[in-house]
Every structure is written in structure tokens, then in C-alpha cells.
Amino acid sequence: MTNITQGFLGETLYRVQVLTKKDIPQLLKLQDEVMAALSDRHTVQPLSVGELNNILTGNGLMIGIYVEDELIAFRAVLKPIIDEEHLGRDCGIPDEELSRVLYQEISNVSPRYRGYGLQKKMAQIIMAQVDLNRFDYICATVQPLNIPSLKDKFSQGLMIAGLKVKYGDKLRYIFYKELKGEVPTFSEARALRMSDITGQQQLLKEGFLGTDMFEMRDHWFVTYRK
């Protein structure tokens, strides 16, 4: 395994490494631990052995955080196949540029190590490994009201470009970001409740992009800008 960096969680030393196929048993064990701790298992779609193998054999990148010899967190990006479900199509990326799109895939942190900002640390680390000569865009999907994952995407500067049913029957926000483009400027802003699916879809049709979120009176809102 390739060591990328190391640091401290309180007084505990951790190291970040690029993962390989040899790490699949530990990845599956950590996924099981994370899934068992969820109050709603529908918020996360775990990766299968086949999907892990696909990423770890040249179709993406996966990093893991270790404390001693235990894997406590991991994060992945995937080079997807180009098909009709490609997220780039949902974001208006031209067909000829779809090969330059990466997906942000699953991010898991052991419940025993929450509170250290590891998801954010891993996002910074893995995105710094992306070859900008090969890729121009990053895309991702998040279930509405999966607040930690939504915060994670917005914190990286990704924006909502779509809200539709994907993967058969799952409603998902579709996020994207241009890796080398300038930060866009906006002149109009509207905020809608996250539960107002139809209203958000209408704004997206009108060319608005979801840029951030906030909580008010026990309701979550998304800010859309154009």
C-alpha cells in the first residue's frame, strides 16, 4: 500500500494509504459496522465485492485511514462507464466530455471515530490525488435529507444540478463541479424546503443550481442560485 500522509486524532496516530484488492476484507468489515449503526439503512448504498474490485483494479481510487493495523475510514472515486444513466448527462455535460468525469463514491467512517472530521479530511486528500490532465468534472448523488452527505458535498463546492429518480427507484440529488473552471457568479437566489421536491425540480429546469443548505425552525432548506 502507498502511504499518502499521517496525522493525529487527539493523541492517536493515523495514516492514510491508497487501498488495493488485498484490503477488500477490511473494507467489507467496516461497511458492515457502519451499516449496523445507521438508523435508516436506505440513506447509504454499500458497495458490493464486485464494485470494490472494479474501483481497486484501475477504474478509480480508494483511500483508507488506519489506526495501527485497523481500517477505520475509507473514501472512493470511480471512473464510470458511459451509459444512459451517466450522471454527466444529468448535469448537461457534453457527450464528448463524459470520459473526463469522475464520480465521488461512498465514504465510510467507523462510528467509533466520528467527530474528528474524517470525511472532510478524506475528501481533501482524495481530490488532491485526481489527475487534472485526465478529468474535468466530479459528480455524485445524495439522497434528500441525508444531511451529513449533503453537507460534505456542499463543503467541497459541488452544486446540485439535478433531482430525479436514479438506480431504478431511488430519488437522488445530482451534484457536480468543474474541477478547473472558475467559480460561477449568481444574481438571483431562492430557498426552498428540502421536502419540496416538485418546487426544486422546477427551479432546476429553469437553470438554477443548488449551492448550499441551512436549517430553520426544524426544517432543512436548499438555496438555489441562477
Side-chain angles (χ1 to χ4, degrees), residues 171-188:
L171 184 66
R172 293 291 185 265
Y173 284 114
I174 302 166
F175 281 83
Y176 99 110
K177 179 182 180 180
E178 291 187 34
L179 296 174
K180 293 176 283 191
E182 294 182 4
V183 177
T185 56
F186 303 102
S187 59
E188 185 177 356

Side-chain angles (χ1 to χ4, degrees), residues 6-179:
Q6 61 184 28
F8 286 91
L9 305 175
E11 297 182 355
T12 303
L13 178 68
Y14 72 86
R15 67 184 187 279
V16 183
Q17 297 184 330
V18 174
L19 302 182
T20 69
K21 287 176 62 176
K22 295 179 182 178
D23 302 301
I24 288 179
Q26 285 203 70
L27 287 164
L28 294 172
K29 180 181 177 182
L30 178 55
Q31 273 198 152
D32 288 344
E33 180 187 1
V34 171
M35 293 297 292
L38 291 175
S39 57
D40 180 3
R41 294 194 175 198
H42 296 292
T43 60
V44 175
Q45 181 67 37
L47 294 178
S48 67
V49 173
E51 289 168 325
L52 290 169
N53 191 63
N54 181 49
I55 293 171
L56 295 169
T57 53
N59 294 308
L61 173 69
M62 189 173 290
I63 62 169
I65 296 181
Y66 281 84
V67 169
E68 295 182 350
D69 292 325
E70 181 190 8
L71 180 68
I72 65 160
F74 70 88
R75 188 158 193 152
V77 292
L78 168 71
K79 188 180 189 308
I81 62 171
I82 298 175
D83 58 12
E84 291 304 312
E85 285 288 303
H86 196 288
L87 299 179
R89 301 186 193 277
D90 298 312
C91 301
I93 296 171
D95 282 2
E96 62 270 19
E97 296 183 26
L98 294 180
S99 63
R100 301 186 67 80
V101 174
L102 269 181
Y103 288 1
Q104 278 198 1
E105 281 288 331
I106 197 167
S107 173
N108 274 339
V109 177
S110 167
R112 294 173 288 116
Y113 287 91
R114 287 177 184 159
Y116 291 104
L118 292 182
Q119 186 162 284
K120 190 172 184 178
K121 287 180 190 292
M122 290 191 295
Q124 295 168 344
I125 292 167
I126 201 166
M127 292 309 297
Q129 308 300 311
V130 172
D131 185 352
L132 296 181
N133 292 317
R134 293 181 60 201
F135 299 104
D136 294 322
Y137 307 93
I138 192 82
C139 290
T141 61
V142 180
Q143 180 184 20
L145 294 174
N146 183 344
I147 303 305
S149 289
L150 291 168
K151 287 181 176 179
D152 171 65
K153 300 300 178 290
F154 282 129
S155 72
Q156 297 179 66
L158 276 76
M159 297 180 289
I160 295 171
L163 176 56
K164 60 173 63 176
V165 173
K166 302 291 288 185
Y167 316 123
D169 61 353
K170 297 178 173 64
L171 184 66
R172 293 291 185 265
Y173 284 114
I174 302 166
F175 281 83
Y176 99 110
K177 179 182 180 180
E178 291 187 34
L179 296 174

